[in-house]
Amino acid sequence: MIDMIKISVPFLDTHIQKLQSGSADFDMSRLMKELGMTLEGAIRYENGKPIHERLRHKFESLPSYFASLAYKVCRDDLKGYPYVAIQGNPAKLLTGHNVYGSDNPELCTFAVVEAFQFAFPELCNYLDWYHSTIDFIDVTYTARLANDTLAQQALNVLKNISYGQMKVTECNHESTVYWNKGSQHLVRKAYLKAPELTKRIEELTRKLAKEKHDHYAEQIKQLTSPEVKAMADGAIRFEARLYGRWLKDKGIQTALGNFTAYASEKMTELWRLAFQPVFKAFEGATVNAQDHTQVLNNLRITHQRTTPKGNISYSTAEALYDFYLAIVRDGYSSTKSRIAERSRATWKRKEDALLEAGLSRAQLMQFTGEQTNVIPLVRLINVDFGQQLPANWQEPAPLSLQAKTRPALKLAS
């Protein structure tokens, strides 16, 4: 799936002026006068008249159905010419969600282009689409595990995996890990899809409660469909952000017209190449596939206490959970011998607390210290390219055709 695209579209020569330095410039004030766009900058007065200076445009998101599309008019940066940067999520634009979607470069790229053209037909007349280029693409494929708990355990192992120059650079929350974040060549990311989906549904539900917009209701409908939920459960997404310079190094033409000529198989090939070091590093890594979530929940219910200030404390439950995990790891007999050697009363007190939370002695005694539930990570995580889409998947129609039956697509506000 192509999950995000950023495109640079220069202004036509007829709308720019050449500077003595050899670079080009664009009169930003025209955007305010002719298109009503909002800019920011500085104002000075000359003979009592305001003079606008250093005008610039920040990345701005398009409203309503364009929630996944952003744009920015760039006047002066390292490219040396004025252009418009357009960034959008083709999966969301075409289907209303990005749990799964197309990896067809032509379909996905023109979804972003057409959405922008619907919103700003006048501005598009200023732009040189023939010389537009791809700045980056996000190519994403999914590994599906038995459940979200197992997926989380596998992701926890991924957080410690590095290989050569590929380093873990950020784990900003439990469900995401980045390799080489900040690179302008290639950034790899692995994350759980189910928590992200739940968060998005909650966000849209709050918005719908405040603003009764049909597009919020439509997005919630898409995100809560059985097909979408089934594809998100237990899913680990592997996303590669491929920047223009990395694509060029691999022989990929980034001119918009040339890029759209590639087939879906080329996107798969690039993704494989990007994630080759990650999967190479899987060798030897293992995951303990046993789910102890319910044990922890039962301990928290049974052994929670209220502090003098009225807060709920789970410290006793957490300590007992660590005791339980020691039995799982080292075995019942070994753990009992180690603790009872110092104090048989301590062992009995802790064991009784586990039994009080619903565990049986027979359950505890089944743990021998042998790692029977350890699975090699490379076997557990399998990206099956034949199972990336639901059985009833049909390639979505181009956005220009969808607009004929979805008039709201043409509204920029």
Side-chain angles (χ1 to χ4, degrees), residues 126-181:
Y126 289 62
L127 301 177
D128 183 2
W129 292 96
Y130 181 79
H131 290 100
S132 55
T133 57
I134 300 292
D135 283 355
F136 70 68
I137 57 170
D138 290 354
V139 182
T140 304
Y141 292 103
T142 301
R144 289 185 174 80
L145 283 70
N147 53 58
D148 289 334
T149 299
L150 190 56
Q152 180 67 68
Q153 291 173 345
L155 191 76
N156 290 341
V157 176
L158 289 176
K159 292 177 182 179
N160 298 305
I161 284 182
S162 298
Y163 184 80
Q165 297 300 313
M166 184 196 72
K167 305 294 183 183
V168 172
T169 51
E170 184 176 328
C171 299
N172 53 5
H173 46 77
E174 286 187 0
S175 59
T176 306
V177 56
Y178 288 91
W179 291 275
N180 297 95
K181 187 175 183 180

Side-chain angles (χ1 to χ4, degrees), residues 28-164:
M28 297 289 280
S29 64
R30 292 177 61 183
L31 300 176
M32 291 191 297
K33 295 175 184 176
E34 301 177 20
L35 301 178
M37 292 175 61
T38 301
L39 306 176
E40 63 179 22
I43 300 177
R44 65 178 177 84
Y45 285 87
E46 189 174 292
N47 298 324
K49 294 182 178 181
I51 305 296
H52 298 89
E53 294 181 325
R54 298 191 296 278
L55 291 175
R56 68 188 186 98
H57 180 235
K58 297 171 65 178
F59 257 115
E60 183 176 348
S61 294
L62 299 179
S64 70
Y65 277 95
F66 298 103
S68 58
L69 188 71
Y71 74 102
K72 177 182 179 181
V73 178
C74 305
R75 181 179 180 181
D76 49 5
D77 64 7
L78 296 178
K79 292 192 176 184
Y81 56 83
Y83 65 97
V84 176
I86 307 169
Q87 185 171 317
N89 189 312
K92 290 182 179 179
L93 289 167
L94 291 166
T95 67
H97 67 83
N98 70 333
V99 175
Y100 51 83
S102 175
D103 56 5
N104 182 312
E106 181 176 14
L107 176 66
C108 294
T109 302
F110 281 113
V112 175
V113 170
E114 288 172 340
F116 183 80
Q117 291 174 338
F118 289 150
F120 294 105
E122 297 89 353
L123 178 57
C124 288
N125 293 329
Y126 289 62
L127 301 177
D128 183 2
W129 292 96
Y130 181 79
H131 290 100
S132 55
T133 57
I134 300 292
D135 283 355
F136 70 68
I137 57 170
D138 290 354
V139 182
T140 304
Y141 292 103
T142 301
R144 289 185 174 80
L145 283 70
N147 53 58
D148 289 334
T149 299
L150 190 56
Q152 180 67 68
Q153 291 173 345
L155 191 76
N156 290 341
V157 176
L158 289 176
K159 292 177 182 179
N160 298 305
I161 284 182
S162 298
Y163 184 80

Side-chain angles (χ1 to χ4, degrees), residues 1 14 36 60 141 144 165 210 223 229 237 240 249 258 267-268 283 301 315 326 340 361 383 398:
M1 177 179 71
T14 52
E60 183 176 348
Y141 292 103
R144 289 185 174 80
Q165 297 300 313
K210 294 180 180 179
L223 292 174
K229 184 179 185 307
R237 303 282 291 273
D249 287 344
N258 293 329
M267 300 300 101
T268 304
E283 297 177 1
I301 292 170
S315 58
R361 186 170 283 107
V383 179

Side-chain angles (χ1 to χ4, degrees), residues 245-299:
R245 60 180 67 181
W246 187 88
L247 292 169
K248 290 177 181 177
D249 287 344
K250 307 307 174 186
I252 303 299
Q253 298 186 57
T254 58
L256 185 62
N258 293 329
F259 180 78
T260 57
Y262 289 109
S264 296
E265 289 76 13
K266 194 64 177 179
M267 300 300 101
T268 304
E269 179 186 331
L270 292 171
W271 180 90
R272 287 180 186 272
L273 189 62
F275 269 100
Q276 187 177 21
V278 175
F279 289 101
K280 177 68 175 176
F282 281 6
E283 297 177 1
T286 59
V287 175
N288 190 325
Q290 189 144 17
D291 183 5
H292 304 293
T293 305
Q294 192 58 51
V295 173
L296 177 59
N297 291 339
N298 290 342
L299 286 169

Side-chain angles (χ1 to χ4, degrees), residues 61-68 92 199-220 223:
S61 294
L62 299 179
S64 70
Y65 277 95
F66 298 103
S68 58
K92 290 182 179 179
K199 182 179 178 181
R200 180 59 178 163
I201 292 172
E202 292 172 349
E203 177 185 328
L204 289 169
T205 302
R206 289 193 297 270
K207 288 183 177 180
L208 181 61
K210 294 180 180 179
E211 306 174 57
K212 302 297 183 181
H213 289 316
D214 290 343
H215 61 275
Y216 290 149
E218 178 62 25
Q219 289 179 37
I220 292 172
L223 292 174

